[in-house]
């Protein structure tokens, strides 16, 4: 059993069950504890990040197709990690709330456009532009979950 600040099971009385683990996890049928679900989320996030970094290294070696595949798989694996926390259905519902629907659509569309840029258009520049758009859309989407974060960012960059 984990001890100290990372012991989520003993913190159940302090942190409400619905604060980070709302709804049914996509993996509820496995009977995973809160700690195990958090490890699954962190693991998916780490693997997704690693695949994206590996894809970036491959890009510098001139392999656009492999880059696109690794980068997109990395992004999807990172998204799958949220299934450990809140479940896929809940995530889809949250993605398409009015406050973040545009960012979510641009983000999901840009994932497809990265592959189109690499395999259909065979354009390094367009593929990288789509990756940048994907990153910015994902950042904007993520900021929508943090109260006043979008306002703070727009003020910080001088757009508000």
């Amino acid at each position: 059993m984990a001890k100290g600040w990372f012991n989520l099971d003993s913190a159940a009385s302090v942190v409400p069950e619905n604060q980070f683990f709302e709804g049914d996890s996509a993996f509820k049928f496995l009977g995973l504890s809160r700690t195990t679900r958090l490890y699954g989320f962190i693991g998916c996030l780490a693997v997704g990040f690693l695949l994206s970094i590996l894809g970036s290294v491959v890009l510098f070696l001139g392999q656009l197709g492999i880059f696109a595949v690794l980068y997109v798989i990395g992004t999807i694996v990172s998204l799958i990690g949220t299934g450990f926390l809140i479940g896929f259905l809940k995530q889809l519902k949250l993605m398409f709330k009015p406050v973040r629907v545009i960012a979510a659509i641009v983000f999901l569309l840009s994932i497809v456009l990265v592959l189109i840029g690499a395999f259909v258009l065979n354009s390094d520049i367009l593929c990288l532009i789509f990756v940048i758009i994907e990153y910015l859309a994902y950042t904007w989407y993520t900021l929508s979950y943090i109260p006043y974060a979008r306002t703070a960012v727009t003020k910080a960059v001088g757009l508000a």
Side-chain angles (χ1 to χ4, degrees), residues 11-125:
S13 61
V14 178
V15 179
E17 174 70 27
N18 63 357
Q19 185 171 349
F20 297 110
F21 301 94
E22 293 182 5
D24 289 336
S25 164
F27 303 98
K28 182 180 180 181
F29 67 94
L30 295 174
L32 303 177
S33 70
R34 293 170 74 182
T35 303
T36 306
R37 289 166 57 189
L38 185 61
Y39 287 155
F41 168 72
I42 292 170
C44 284
L45 204 61
V47 168
F49 180 74
L50 183 66
L51 286 170
S52 296
I53 293 295
L54 184 61
S56 298
V57 169
V58 171
L59 177 64
F60 287 111
L61 299 174
Q63 300 295 321
L64 181 65
I66 296 171
F67 160 74
V69 169
L70 287 174
Y71 191 84
V72 166
I73 290 173
T75 301
I76 291 169
V77 168
S78 295
L79 281 176
I80 288 173
T82 59
F84 283 99
L85 297 179
I86 60 174
F88 298 118
L89 185 57
K90 178 104 174 156
Q91 178 70 12
L92 282 174
K93 288 178 183 178
L94 291 173
M95 284 179 85
F96 293 102
K97 281 191 165 193
V99 69
R100 63 185 67 93
V101 67
I102 293 173
I105 289 171
V106 170
F107 172 60
L108 295 173
L109 185 62
S110 65
I111 291 173
V112 174
L113 289 175
V114 167
L115 294 173
I116 290 173
F119 293 110
V120 176
L121 303 175
N122 200 24
S123 170
D124 296 357
I125 294 171

Side-chain angles (χ1 to χ4, degrees), residues 1-18:
M1 167 113 8
K3 296 192 187 278
W5 68 272
F6 202 63
N7 188 354
L8 293 177
D9 290 326
S10 69
S13 61
V14 178
V15 179
E17 174 70 27
N18 63 357

Side-chain angles (χ1 to χ4, degrees), residues 121-142:
L121 303 175
N122 200 24
S123 170
D124 296 357
I125 294 171
L126 279 177
C127 189
L128 289 176
I129 289 171
F130 295 144
V131 165
I132 292 167
I133 291 170
E134 176 185 330
Y135 178 77
L136 292 173
Y138 183 67
T139 301
W140 196 248
Y141 164 77
T142 303

